[in-house]
Amino acid sequence: MPLILPVPIEFRLPEDWLPAPAPEGADAADVAFAAVYQQPEAGFTANITVDGAFLPDTVTLAELAEESVERLREVAESVALAHRREVGSAEAPALTQRLTFSTAADGSRRDLVQSQVYLSMSDVDDPRKRAAVRLALTATAAQHDEVLGDFQDFVRTVRPVNTPPGTGA
């Protein structure tokens, strides 16, 4: 069963991307939304996933991002943090990071790249509650740069949705 995000969001998928069932494997139960690119590369289909959770006041986006690196190390090989940067503003902090790793699937080894964006958002019903939404693009190393622009376009469309009181997310 897919995860329900702690803060409802809306977004627009870029052309050539289709909604998909949540991926299988590590973190699959934590995925609220998944999309796949219509043009696989070397037997791997690039994908975008969305997940999120409420954050205790003491947890930073950098700590959350580091936890993501450690979780990936449990299921993949040669995980390396290629880039991490805090972006956004004091009112709307965000963090980006890029990970490179290898994994074996269907008897073949794949070199993959995952670009992640962490967005800090306040709960629409209780602004004292803080949530983080993680947006992730996973693609082969060869295809990553081709689909990165689509992912950046996707990230720019993500917005919190205000729901009427009592209706839930």
Side-chain angles (χ1 to χ4, degrees), residues 26 68-82 98-114 138-139 141:
S68 181
V69 173
E70 294 308 315
R71 275 195 317 273
L72 188 57
R73 284 189 173 130
E74 294 173 5
V75 297
E77 303 167 12
S78 308
V79 177
L81 175 63
R98 182 171 299 161
L99 309 172
T100 60
F101 60 99
S102 296
T103 187
D106 300 326
S108 63
R109 184 178 170 93
R110 299 192 196 302
D111 292 326
L112 301 176
V113 177
Q114 187 173 83
T138 307

Side-chain angles (χ1 to χ4, degrees), residues 24 51 58 67 81 134 140 147 162 164:
E24 295 180 11
D51 62 65
T58 58
E67 287 176 16
L81 175 63
R134 179 177 66 161
T140 63
V147 295
N162 291 324

Side-chain angles (χ1 to χ4, degrees), residues 65 81 83-87 94-98 116-118:
L81 175 63
H83 169 82
R84 181 180 290 158
R85 183 170 64 127
E86 292 189 31
V87 295
L95 180 139
T96 65
Q97 74 178 5
R98 182 171 299 161
Q116 300 176 341
V117 175
Y118 290 83

Side-chain angles (χ1 to χ4, degrees), residues 2 11 13 17-23 31-36 47-51 136:
F11 51 80
L13 277 178
W17 290 83
L18 298 171
V31 172
F33 177 81
V36 294
N47 61 78
I48 293 172
T49 57
V50 178
D51 62 65

